């Protein structure tokens, strides 16, 4: 199914019937710009318009999607169904991609507005850019991490992980420089971010390899969170001279372990039910 061919086919049939783009658009209750886009191959008619458009042009839906008149009417129903299914899938993917594109632009515009508001308020209050560098750097980092997922959905997760892996240290360095003095941002940030990034990549590959067993992947993810928690606590205890574990840590670890056990039990019960059935 070729958009350019479909567009040329629509234009040819429209001209054969001595209709302008505006005439065709009026009968379909849409704008002539939409018809123009179809005929230039920039877009395709919405699936809901296929049947009325075919009726107006004096052809079948199958002929419209195939961009040629069918010489074998007996095959028309089967071809119409096949083409409609392919067209519906393609149209759905385009609508999702278009929505994600709009969402990405909106998200970027909101963050840009946030940067401008912070900068303007900072200049108005302080007479120069001072504290606004903190939110500005954070907003930019958030944009780099979030945009791949917003734009591409699940396929954008690797992009977000790459962004975190690459930009986390420069982001921490900027914050450390802004704070100045003898701060602990870099010593703590570097040592805790590295195991955290490794953990996130492990979770990504676990879910990718266990696509059919998502509950099992979730169990493993919870279990891996326990050594991550202990490693981070060990790092913080060494730098800040604080206890390795306290009551809240024990509660957190217990909660994580209980979640893993609950997932394991529900998964086990489901498998037993499947075997019995």
């Amino acid at each position: 199914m070729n958009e350019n061919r479909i567009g040329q086919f629509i234009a040819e049939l429209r001209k054969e019937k001595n209709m302008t783009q505006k005439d065709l658009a009026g009968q379909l209750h849409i704008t002539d710009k939409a018809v123009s886009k179809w005929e230039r191959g920039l877009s395709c008619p919405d699936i809901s318009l296929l049947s009325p458009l075919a009726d107006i042009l004096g052809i079948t839906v199958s002929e419209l999607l195939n961009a040629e008149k069918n010489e074998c009417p007996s095959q028309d129903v089967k071809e119409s169904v096949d083409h409609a299914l392919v067209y519906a899938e393609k149209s759905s993917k385009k609508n999702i991609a278009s929505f994600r594109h709009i969402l990405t632009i909106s998200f970027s515009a909101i963050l840009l507005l946030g940067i401008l508001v912070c900068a303007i308020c900072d200049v108005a209050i302080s007479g120069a850019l001072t504290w606004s560098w903190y939110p500005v750097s954070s907003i930019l980092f958030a944009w780099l991490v979030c945009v791949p997922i917003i734009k591409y959905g699940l396929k954008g997760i690797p992009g977000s992980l790459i962004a975190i892996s690459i930009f986390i240290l420069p982001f921490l360095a900027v914050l450390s420089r802004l704070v100045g003095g003898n701060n602990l941002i870099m010593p703590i940030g570097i040592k805790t971010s590295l195991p955290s990034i490794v953990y996130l990549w492990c979770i990504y590959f676990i879910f990718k390899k266990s696509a059919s067993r998502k509950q099992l992947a979730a169990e493993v993810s919870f279990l891996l969170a326990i050594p991550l928690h202990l490693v981070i606590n060990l790092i913080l205890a060494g730098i800040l001279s604080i206890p390795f574990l306290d009551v809240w840590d024990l509660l957190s670890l217990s909660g994580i372990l209980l979640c893993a056990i609950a997932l394991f039990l529900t998964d086990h019960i489901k498998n037993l039910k499947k075997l019995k059935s």
Side-chain angles (χ1 to χ4, degrees):
M1 189 173 59
N2 187 294
E3 293 179 359
N4 289 321
R5 283 182 57 197
I6 293 175
Q8 292 172 5
F9 190 53
I10 292 173
E12 290 172 5
L13 295 175
R14 173 181 62 77
K15 291 173 183 175
E16 285 178 7
K17 293 188 173 293
N18 295 319
M19 286 192 296
T20 63
Q21 291 181 344
K22 192 171 184 178
D23 294 333
L24 179 58
Q27 294 189 49
L28 293 170
H29 306 292
I30 58 175
T31 65
D32 54 343
K33 289 182 180 179
V35 176
S36 176
K37 284 185 177 180
W38 299 346
E39 296 185 356
R40 287 181 289 156
L42 299 178
S43 66
C44 278
D46 187 85
I47 193 168
S48 62
L49 296 174
L50 293 180
S51 183
L53 177 60
D55 290 340
I56 293 170
L57 298 177
I59 54 174
T60 64
V61 172
S62 176
E63 289 172 329
L64 174 60
L65 295 176
N66 203 35
E68 62 180 5
K69 292 190 176 180
N70 195 352
E71 296 179 359
C72 185
S74 61
Q75 297 181 358
D76 189 64
V77 174
K78 181 180 181 303
E79 288 183 359
S80 180
V81 172
D82 291 342
H83 283 309
L85 290 173
V86 173
Y87 188 88
E89 183 180 1
K90 188 175 181 181
S91 178
S92 176
K93 287 180 178 178
K94 275 198 164 187
N95 289 337
I96 292 172
S98 178
F99 173 74
R100 284 178 177 164
H101 182 67
I102 294 170
L103 193 61
T104 302
I105 293 174
S106 301
F107 177 74
S108 301
I110 291 170
L111 293 190
L112 178 60
L113 180 62
I115 290 174
L116 292 175
V117 169
C118 289
I120 292 169
C121 291
D122 191 10
V123 172
I125 297 170
S126 308
L129 295 176
T130 55
W131 56 264
S132 61
W133 288 114
Y134 296 100
V136 167
S137 58
S138 301
I139 288 171
L140 289 175
F141 181 70
W143 183 83
L144 290 168
V145 172
C146 296
V147 161
I149 293 179
I150 296 173
K151 177 71 174 175
Y152 302 106
L154 293 177
K155 292 180 180 178
I157 291 176
S160 292
L161 290 176
I162 290 171
I164 293 174
S165 303
I166 293 174
F167 295 107
I168 185 64
L169 294 183
F171 172 63
L172 292 173
V174 170
L175 288 183
S176 179
R177 186 177 180 83
L178 289 173
V179 171
N182 186 22
N183 65 78
L184 297 173
I185 291 177
M186 288 301 288
I188 294 176
I190 292 174
K191 291 182 179 180
T192 57
S193 63
L194 292 179
S196 300
I197 290 170
V198 171
Y199 171 77
L200 291 174
W201 277 107
C202 288
I203 299 308
Y204 168 71
F205 284 114
I206 288 169
F207 272 92
K208 188 175 182 181
K209 294 294 182 181
S210 308
S212 58
R213 297 290 305 278
K214 290 183 179 179
Q215 194 157 344
L216 176 62
E219 295 166 21
V220 176
S221 300
F222 274 109
L223 290 175
L224 287 178
I226 294 175
L228 174 66
H229 188 112
L230 295 174
V231 168
I232 291 176
N233 272 24
L234 184 63
I235 292 169
L236 294 175
I239 297 175
L240 302 176
S241 299
I242 59 176
F244 173 60
L245 289 174
D246 59 20
V247 175
W248 296 109
D249 291 317
L250 293 174
L251 288 174
S252 298
L253 292 171
S254 300
I256 293 170
L257 184 59
L258 286 173
C259 288
I261 293 172
L263 286 171
F264 173 78
L265 290 175
T266 54
D267 190 35
H268 183 65
I269 292 169
K270 283 182 182 178
N271 290 333
L272 286 177
K273 287 182 179 180
K274 286 181 180 178
L275 289 173
K276 288 180 180 179
S277 60

